[in-house]
Amino acid sequence: MNLQTMLLQLLGGFGQTVLIFVLVLLFSLPLGLLVYFGRASRFKPLSALVKIYISVMRGTPLMLQLLLWYFGPYYLFGANISGYKFTAVIIGCSVNYAAYFAEIYRSGIESIPKGQYEAAHILGYSKAQTFMHIVLPQVMKIIMPSVTNEVITLVKDTSLVYSVSYVEMFALAKQIAAAQTTIMPLVAAGVFYYIFNYIVAFVMERIEKKMDYYH
């Protein structure tokens, strides 16, 4: 196999990597906010349950979670899991990253002075209006560096989906390397990941600068 053919094959797998990344980010960011609200709930059973969920998601390997999401329906309910790989990957990664984003949201929201809530109440803002128009814009600015770190980690974690035999770039690189007995496909995959991460980091940095209200 020549270099051009190998790169074209890896490029096809890279498309799947990007798709997984985009969908997981799309689902996990808003889900993380919902998880935070559950954690901060005054209803103690709900709060305790969410805390356990966050602890489990952060305390166990993502690869193990993906295996459980994929094989779980079969072993628990005898469900047919053919064609379920992609769904399991998106659900598993989204649920995992939502736990991390929930803690990032918590750190940002809890850093807002209580006086701002009181001032908003005096001005006639409802709780929802206070959160959306006063708290959330400040929180997004505060948490952007932490969100950027998690987003960059997500790019690399997409390679873990090979554990459920889903073919994306890393799985494809391993297949080609094994068939051709050469390390070049893995090196090429590493270059793809680096370029993708560089682009993501650049975009996130631009977003951070646009949110820097003091400059």
Side-chain angles (χ1 to χ4, degrees):
M1 180 184 295
N2 59 43
L3 181 61
Q4 183 179 4
T5 303
M6 180 191 72
L7 290 176
L8 287 174
Q9 287 190 11
L10 289 178
L11 192 60
F14 181 66
Q16 291 299 309
T17 296
V18 173
L19 179 61
I20 292 169
F21 169 80
V22 171
L23 289 178
V24 170
L25 201 59
L26 186 65
F27 292 131
S28 61
L29 281 170
L31 181 59
L33 191 58
L34 290 176
V35 172
Y36 161 73
F37 287 136
R39 191 189 190 286
S41 172
R42 294 180 181 179
F43 183 57
K44 296 301 182 182
L46 174 61
S47 178
L49 189 63
V50 172
K51 286 179 182 178
I52 293 171
Y53 152 71
I54 292 175
S55 178
V56 170
M57 291 298 104
R58 299 173 71 193
T60 57
L62 176 56
M63 184 182 294
L64 175 60
Q65 294 172 30
L66 289 173
L67 290 170
L68 290 175
W69 276 106
Y70 181 56
F71 292 108
Y74 173 76
Y75 287 111
L76 291 175
F77 312 112
N80 182 2
I81 58 175
S82 62
Y84 173 63
K85 288 179 185 178
F86 183 73
T87 303
V89 163
I90 300 302
I91 293 175
C93 291
S94 297
V95 169
N96 175 272
Y97 268 83
Y100 287 91
F101 285 132
E103 289 299 283
I104 291 174
Y105 287 131
R106 183 174 69 87
S107 67
I109 292 171
E110 292 183 357
S111 70
I112 303 299
K114 298 297 183 184
Q116 295 199 22
Y117 293 91
E118 296 169 359
H121 177 69
I122 292 171
L123 291 172
Y125 283 82
S126 66
K127 289 184 178 180
Q129 289 173 327
T130 300
F131 181 79
M132 293 302 298
H133 299 295
I134 297 175
V135 176
L136 189 58
Q138 296 180 75
V139 168
M140 294 308 297
K141 180 178 180 292
I142 293 169
I143 68 175
M144 276 307 297
S146 298
V147 170
T148 298
N149 288 336
E150 285 302 317
V151 170
I152 290 173
T153 301
L154 174 58
V155 173
K156 293 177 286 187
D157 278 353
T158 56
S159 63
L160 296 177
V161 305
Y162 82 91
S163 60
V164 295
S165 301
Y166 186 82
V167 180
E168 43 70 65
M169 184 173 62
F170 183 69
L172 199 56
K174 286 184 63 179
Q175 291 176 6
I176 298 172
Q180 302 295 321
T181 60
T182 174
I183 199 174
M184 282 306 297
L186 297 175
V187 174
V191 172
F192 272 109
Y193 278 115
Y194 176 78
I195 293 173
F196 188 24
N197 248 330
Y198 181 84
I199 293 171
V200 169
F202 176 79
V203 171
M204 296 301 290
E205 183 180 352
R206 297 297 297 177
I207 294 174
E208 282 186 48
K209 287 182 177 180
K210 284 185 177 295
M211 298 183 74
D212 190 350
Y213 309 132
Y214 298 108
H215 297 286

